[in-house]
Structures are given as C-alpha cells and as structure tokens.
Amino acid sequence: MWLELILASVLGFVIYWFVSRDKEETLPLEDGWWGPGSKPSAKEDESIRPFKVETSDEEIKDLHQRIDRFRASPPLEGSRFHYGFNSSYLKKVVSFWRNEFDWRKQVEILNQYPHFKTKIEGLDIHFIHVKPPQLPSGRTPKPLLMVHGWPGSFYEFYKIIPLLTDPKTHGLSDEHVFEVICPSIPGYGFSEASSKKGLNSVATARIFYKLMSRLGFQKFYIQGGDWGSLICTNIAQMVPNHVKGLHLNMAFISRNIYSLTPLLGQRFGRFLGYTEKDLELLYPFKEKVFYSIMRESGYLHIQATKPDTVGCALNDSPVGLAAYILEKFSTWTKSEYRELEDGGLERKFSLEDLLTNIMIYWTTTGTIVSSQRFPENMGQSIMVHRHEGEAWLSRERVLFLPGVFKQSWAAKTQGNFEL
Ligand SMILES: *[C@@H]1O[C@H](CO)[C@@H](O)[C@H](O)[C@H]1NC(C)=O
C-alpha cells in the first residue's frame, strides 16, 4: 500500500514536471505606464532629443561644503574592511575628491559620446548611442545594447566602447564592428525614475526593447551585467526573434535542480563533473557560500524592503554615498579585498573613475533612492516565468558563487554568441 502510494506520488511528480516544464517559452510583451498620475490619452511624444551632461558652479560648491562637513568615526583596530568601509581610508578618498578630482573634466569625458533622451511608457529614458567612426566599405555595424546594474551606470562601458566601435584603431580585428547603445535603467543616472510601484526587470526589458525599435533596430545583440544581466535575459525571453545574441557577465539562475547540487557535498560534485576549480570555490560550503552570502547580502535585503529610509541618508551626504557604493566596488571586485586596509580599491580602478560613477549618482539628485528600489521586484522577474532559456542555463551547469561569476559561463555564452 505504502509503496504504491510512493510510486504514484513519484509518477505524479514526474508527469507534473514534464507538463509544467516548457509551458511558457517566451515572456508576454505587455505594456506599461510609469509616469506621474494617470496615463494621458494623447499619444506619447516619440521624438529622440539630444542631451548633454552639465554641471554648475552651485552644484560643485554645495558638494564641497558637504564634503567639508564630513564627520568621520574611527574604525575598530585592525578591522580593515570587515565592518564595511574603513573611514580612515575614506578620508583619503574624500581629500582626493575635494582637492584633486575635476568634475568639469569628467563631464567633458562623459560628453565625448552623444547622449539622448526619449519618452517611453511615461519616462524620459537616457542613453548614449555610439556609431563607428569608420567602417570597411559595404559593411554595416552590429547594433549592441549594453545594460549596467547597481551601483553602476552607463559610464561602466566607456573604456570598452572604442574597442567595439573602432577595433582597428585599437589593434583588433575589424571582423565585427559594433554600434553601441547604453541606456540608463529608469531611476538611474539621467533616466527618469518611475512614479509607480512595480517597475521590474521585465518592464525595463520591454522599455529597452521599445528603445531599440524606436532607433530602427529590428535585430540586435545584447550584453548585461548585474541587473543588466536580468534585464537582457528578459529581453531575450520576451522578443527572441529580435535578439541575435545574448551575452552576460553574471548569470542568474533559479528554480532548477542543478542550483541545489552544491548542497550534496564535494563527492557528489565530483560525480557531477565539477572541476577542481569549482570545488575550490565552493567548499567548505558553509564558509565559502553560506556565510559569504549572509555577510554580503544585507544591502539587498534593505533595498528589497526599505530602500527609501537609508536612501534619505545617502541622498543627503556625498561622503556617505561614496562609502556605501565604493564598499561594493571593493568586495565585489574580489571578496578577499575585505582583508585589505584600503579595500584594494585602487588595484583595479582609479579614484577618478570611481568618483565619476559616484558623481553620476550624486548630481542626479535622488537616483540613489530610486536605483535602490529595483530589487523590490526581483522575485517577480526571476521566479514567475519558465522558459527555454532557463532550461538551457541549467544544462550548462552554471553555478552562482558569491563574488565570483564562473569564468566558464562567460566562455560558454561567448560560444553561443553567434555573430
Ligand atoms: C584604514 O586605512 C588606512 C589607510 O589605508 C590604514 O592606515 C589603517 O590602518 C586602516 N584601518 C583599519 C582599521 O584597517
């Protein structure tokens, strides 16, 4: 009797699994309105307007006054980055910011590429659009949408853009020449923030798809990291016929059995074909995965629940904002950087570049608040829909590791990136 019951349940589960597995292959392309008030009946203005980053003397004066009023509290002895940003090192960063950093020069750098804004679903969406300066005759560039995440901005792509749009000048093959479009996520940088609750990665995916169609691109490539990875994955799920290739430098996985296999232990991992490098990154599991997720994800919990409260402080203090964001640039570059007194920040970045990103958050008043509201809706975007892409991900045996996004994933996605 018991045996039959168990067999029936197992059979039931297997049937359910097969039936529910491929129910939905694409995300529905719906519609939305995120501007203030109710949606006007008139058709949205679809014009694309040139935009320039600007700064004023008052803005810089106000920033300097606030920086000068910074009240540091000393770190615990020998704490390095264990308790968050080391405030003694922060004083060094702040002194550079106050005395050497030249925001006007950085604004010029930001404006070296053409910026635009256009209204989509009630929001003014900002983007840069960079065309190749030269093309081998008879060739058209490949349109590529590049999407940033938190706490980043469109500025993340400034160093790679010339390699993509003008490879020859940079000593690369010009077999693939790209035309690059980097938008700001709504509520980030110069894109208007939603007035309504619920703007998630799926809605953002639709907005960016509309942006690409408005620019005249029927088929295009997409690249995303952090939230951009989720947004780009959602674009591929929503309008697969318009996406020629998806490239991610961070992989979100959900609801697949493989994501649980690390719990089964090292021996099982070996059986499943984990490499020595995988095992080294995963075990001891408690220390390398469980504690490090606990230790590093507090911010996400805050953002997903009460983003506006901490947002008040961050929107009011440039130094607080810098500490909050730069701590992520330290630990997310390398988790071991927690062990360094200066968080290793200047090992991979220049303070100038780091502060330019901070200034994009600071000068677009309030975006640190709106940018932090994004995770509120994360669950919906990751969990709700099953689709082909997910099955494909699970087959690739992708592991999500805190601070480390598996290299082989990048290699594999590159392999699938048909040009
Ligand atoms: C904080 O950073 C400064 C400057 O890099 C360093 O001298 C100091 O020892 C650090 N403090 C702690 C508690 O790690």
Side-chain angles (χ1 to χ4, degrees), residues 75-81 86-89 92 341-342:
L76 290 175
E77 290 171 9
S79 60
R80 292 168 280 181
F81 262 56
N86 163 356
S87 60
S88 311
Y89 174 63
K92 273 177 67 178
E341 290 182 341
D342 61 359

Side-chain angles (χ1 to χ4, degrees), residues 78-119:
S79 60
R80 292 168 280 181
F81 262 56
H82 290 171
Y83 284 69
F85 212 100
N86 163 356
S87 60
S88 311
Y89 174 63
L90 185 59
K91 281 192 206 155
K92 273 177 67 178
V93 174
V94 164
S95 155
F96 176 84
W97 197 359
R98 176 71 173 85
N99 303 309
E100 286 163 69
F101 180 76
D102 184 352
W103 175 232
R104 288 189 189 289
K105 188 183 114 206
Q106 296 310 109
V107 165
E108 254 170 57
I109 291 174
L110 291 178
N111 283 329
Q112 74 182 298
Y113 297 128
H115 294 245
F116 301 91
K117 284 190 177 186
T118 189
K119 278 252 181 230

